[in-house]
Amino acid sequence: MTITLGRAALVAAASTLMLSLAGNLQAHGNVTPQAVDTTALPDITGGNDAWIERDPYKGNAAAIKIGESAYNQNCARCHGIEAISGGIAPDLRYLELGDSGDEWFIQRFRHGSSRDGKVYMPPMGEVLGQKAGWAIRAWLETKHTDD
Ligand code: HEC
């Protein structure tokens, strides 16, 4: 009887530990991209098979709203709330406005960044799609600063 109780207590303690470990992992290491509903936005000819280099949603209010939520779900954990970096990843408010900023942005969004076998940023293009990428860019441009 005593032995049975002891084991039960041990099992309970072990599973509590596992639960708290799992909780920690979710808080810090959740890298599963969260789907973004972009059905409200105009389609991009060619979809994900033909990536364009200029933001078609620049200044589009609906896109900016969708982009903000897409950013919060997929980028903020590294690039910071409101695009204000806490230092882990570059501060995206400083991305250049306009065409050259668009090109650099979409390149990183699509392919992420890896060097010497280390992934600094995971690729997002295939999973989230081009429409979500340009919506995020449209929102980021509203947060731009030169300071
Ligand atoms: C796991 C952390 C992480 C996530 C999530 C992440 N990034 Fe990044 N991102 C980085 C890091 C780190 C760099 C710098 C890469 C380097 O040093 O080569 C970077 C670089 C960039 C750059 C280039 C910035 C510059 O100044 O050159 C852009 C643009 C960018 N990320 C956009 C995004 C967007 C948009 C998302 C969400 C869809 C996102 N990132 C999600 C970590 C992340």
Side-chain angles (χ1 to χ4, degrees):
M1 189 60 174
T2 325
I3 292 165
T4 316
L5 271 177
R7 284 189 60 182
L10 241 165
V11 169
S15 50
T16 310
L17 184 69
M18 299 267 284
L19 274 177
S20 67
L21 281 177
N24 276 339
L25 277 178
Q26 261 197 336
H28 299 291
N30 177 10
V31 288
T32 314
Q34 302 298 303
V36 179
D37 184 358
T38 54
T39 45
L41 301 177
D43 282 334
I44 294 169
T45 318
N48 264 10
D49 290 331
W51 285 78
I52 56 176
E53 295 191 323
R54 305 278 175 270
D55 192 351
Y57 305 144
K58 194 183 173 75
N60 176 325
I64 289 169
K65 209 168 149 218
I66 291 169
E68 177 172 18
S69 121
Y71 174 91
N72 285 335
Q73 291 188 70
N74 293 289
C75 323
R77 67 174 172 273
C78 293
H79 289 282
I81 301 290
E82 292 287 302
I84 303 170
S85 171
I88 305 175
D91 194 308
L92 299 181
R93 293 172 302 161
Y94 299 119
L95 275 183
E96 245 179 89
L97 292 171
D99 292 356
S100 57
D102 280 3
E103 259 172 63
W104 181 237
F105 171 87
I106 209 65
Q107 152 75 23
R108 278 295 183 245
F109 176 79
R110 271 184 85 179
H111 304 295
S113 175
S114 306
R115 281 189 303 278
D116 309 321
K118 263 195 234 144
V119 177
Y120 290 87
M121 171 175 156
M124 302 278 178
E126 284 306 314
V127 237
L128 295 183
Q130 174 161 214
K131 291 173 75 177
W134 288 123
I136 293 171
R137 168 65 174 163
W139 175 72
L140 277 174
E141 277 204 317
T142 70
K143 294 285 152 193
H144 177 85
T145 177
D146 285 318
D147 305 338

